[in-house]
């Protein structure tokens, strides 16, 4: 799959937006009166954050690689 730098930057922008929303979701659940009730949702959001952070790192690496080729 051929990826342009602009495609990768847009993908990163979308992931960053999703990361922001997930972090806000965690804050909301943790601020609830009984946050233990939302433990599974918090755990899932944290796992998704970790996966997206790995994705962002890989995208940034690819952007640097493509930029160095030019």
């Amino acid at each position: 799959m051929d990826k342009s730098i602009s495609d990768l930057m847009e993908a990163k922008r979308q992931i960053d937006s999703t990361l922001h929303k997930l972090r806000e979701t965690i804050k909301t659940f943790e601020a609830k009166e009984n946050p233990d009730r939302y433990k599974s949702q918090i755990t899932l959001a944290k796992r998704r954050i970790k996966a997206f952070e790995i994705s962002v790192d890989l995208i940034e690496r690819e952007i640097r690689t493509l930029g160095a080729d030019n």
Side-chain angles (χ1 to χ4, degrees):
M1 175 179 157
D2 287 335
K3 307 162 288 278
S4 70
I5 290 177
S6 62
D7 290 338
L8 291 167
M9 290 177 71
E10 178 60 21
K12 182 184 176 306
R13 189 179 75 77
Q14 293 299 324
I15 292 171
D16 286 339
S17 173
T18 302
L19 279 168
H20 174 75
K21 291 173 188 172
L22 284 167
R23 289 181 179 118
E24 291 301 312
T25 297
I26 290 172
K27 286 180 193 175
T28 300
F29 282 139
E30 289 178 340
K32 298 260 184 200
E33 189 171 312
N34 186 3
D36 286 343
R37 182 176 178 199
Y38 304 97
K39 188 173 180 171
S40 63
Q41 288 94 331
I42 293 169
T43 299
L44 178 61
K46 287 180 178 180
R47 288 178 181 166
R48 286 179 174 166
I49 287 171
K50 186 155 221 76
F52 280 126
E53 288 173 341
I54 291 168
S55 299
V56 167
D57 287 344
L58 293 171
I59 289 170
E60 289 173 343
R61 183 185 311 169
E62 186 68 10
I63 288 170
R64 285 191 303 273
T65 299
L66 289 174
D69 290 344
N70 292 333

